[in-house]
Amino acid sequence: QYWEYPRKAIVESTPNRIEHFEETLRDAVRIRLKSDVPFCVLLSGGVDSTLIASIAQEHIGSGKIPAFTYSSGDHDDESAFANDVATELDMPITICGTNDSPDEYRTRLRRIVQGLGRGHSSTAIISVDKLYEAVGNSGIKVALDGQGADELLAGYKHYFSILIPILIRKGHFKEAYACLRDQYKHGLLSGALLNLRLRLPESAKRYARYLYGYEQIFNQETFAIDAPTLGRVHSPTDNPNGLNRYLIKQHDEGLENL
């Protein structure tokens, strides 16, 4: 590791920080476009992949960058949005999906875990595997993939629990109300569970997993895991600068896992 995250909010003292952020992002994409082999972009409904695709298209030109996306066929499928982005940017797009049987799913999952040498925090690893399989079968060797915008810019709903008190203290009541409304738009129970997932100690979360039945799945003999605790999990409210501390933790741990 040749760098580490700053432990205080130095960005607050950076003049024109929004312009600096954009310049850094554009430079990061430009550097990664230097390739001697064919490359593509992966699209989803996210801010990160959409921005990366847009910046790449500015550098390379229209009709020259193929795009790939995954379709689950569910009601919240992101492929429609990805297809709109590809159309706007004049990118030929491949939409891949899966019709695996349960046995094929388990076989794929076992192969993935064996390849990773560990488990994974999300079932999305299956769709990612299918996506890269399609990219590989097309002969493309490099894919630009968006990852981390929500972790960097507090885009997930569970960040709102930390963000809302900060907004209120600063007098940004309109923004605080918007966050609160969005967090609870699926009902009080959904919003309360989000807050509990953020604030409960690990022992309580494990008990909740037992109630849901998750812990029994991971404790089956074929999936037995004996992993040591990776140090104390700091609460986002350990200090006044809770949001920045939590975002740094997400990058230190969450994105490393992804």
Side-chain angles (χ1 to χ4, degrees), residues 157-209:
K157 294 180 189 298
H158 54 266
Y159 296 137
F160 295 171
S161 300
I162 308 165
L163 190 57
I164 289 169
I166 295 173
L167 291 171
I168 291 174
R169 283 199 302 269
K170 292 184 175 182
H172 301 316
F173 301 113
K174 183 178 179 181
E175 290 87 346
Y177 173 72
C179 289
L180 189 65
R181 184 182 60 189
D182 194 53
Q183 194 176 41
Y184 284 87
K185 70 179 181 181
H186 296 300
L188 288 174
L189 179 60
S190 175
L193 285 173
L194 275 173
N195 281 281
L196 288 173
R197 282 180 57 191
L198 182 67
R199 300 183 181 280
L200 284 176
E202 185 57 35
S203 57
K205 290 179 183 178
R206 184 167 187 175
Y207 181 71
R209 291 198 298 268

Side-chain angles (χ1 to χ4, degrees), residues 2-239:
Y2 61 93
W3 59 274
E4 61 183 28
Y5 290 101
R7 295 297 153 181
K8 57 183 179 179
I10 58 173
V11 69
E12 292 296 331
S13 61
T14 304
N16 303 318
R17 55 185 178 270
I18 295 176
E19 291 82 357
H20 178 68
F21 183 97
E22 181 177 351
E23 180 184 336
T24 303
L25 175 61
R26 288 182 175 277
D27 188 53
V29 175
R30 180 186 59 80
I31 290 170
R32 285 158 179 82
L33 293 175
K34 297 177 180 177
S35 174
D36 295 327
V37 294
F39 68 89
C40 67
V41 296
L42 305 186
L43 286 175
S44 68
V47 170
D48 34 23
S49 67
T50 303
L51 276 172
I52 290 169
S54 178
I55 295 170
Q57 190 257 15
E58 289 178 7
H59 282 284
I60 304 298
S62 298
K64 297 180 180 179
I65 307 174
F68 288 78
T69 192
Y70 179 83
S71 174
S72 65
D74 295 332
H75 69 280
D76 56 351
D77 196 323
E78 297 175 338
S79 62
F81 183 88
N83 189 64
D84 289 344
V85 172
T87 301
E88 179 72 22
L89 298 177
D90 191 20
M91 292 179 170
I93 186 169
T94 299
I95 301 177
C96 64
T98 181
N99 55 357
D100 288 350
S101 69
D103 285 341
E104 290 171 326
Y105 185 96
R106 282 191 289 267
T107 299
R108 181 178 292 271
L109 181 59
R110 289 179 184 279
R111 178 178 56 76
I112 292 170
V113 171
Q114 184 178 24
L116 289 174
R118 59 180 291 183
H120 196 271
S121 62
S122 171
T123 53
I125 192 65
I126 295 288
S127 56
V128 170
D129 187 63
K130 295 285 287 191
L131 193 57
Y132 280 123
E133 186 175 70
V135 171
N137 290 339
S138 72
I140 292 173
K141 301 297 184 183
V142 175
L144 297 186
D145 181 8
Q147 193 75 264
D150 289 305
E151 289 84 357
L152 182 64
L153 302 174
Y156 289 124
K157 294 180 189 298
H158 54 266
Y159 296 137
F160 295 171
S161 300
I162 308 165
L163 190 57
I164 289 169
I166 295 173
L167 291 171
I168 291 174
R169 283 199 302 269
K170 292 184 175 182
H172 301 316
F173 301 113
K174 183 178 179 181
E175 290 87 346
Y177 173 72
C179 289
L180 189 65
R181 184 182 60 189
D182 194 53
Q183 194 176 41
Y184 284 87
K185 70 179 181 181
H186 296 300
L188 288 174
L189 179 60
S190 175
L193 285 173
L194 275 173
N195 281 281
L196 288 173
R197 282 180 57 191
L198 182 67
R199 300 183 181 280
L200 284 176
E202 185 57 35
S203 57
K205 290 179 183 178
R206 184 167 187 175
Y207 181 71
R209 291 198 298 268
Y210 271 110
L211 293 178
Y212 276 112
Y214 294 161
E215 204 71 20
Q216 291 91 318
I217 295 173
F218 296 113
N219 280 339
Q220 289 180 22
E221 185 177 349
T222 52
F223 294 103
I225 298 171
D226 183 19
T229 303
L230 300 177
R232 174 175 176 260
V233 178
H234 294 281
S235 166
T237 56
D238 279 354
N239 63 35

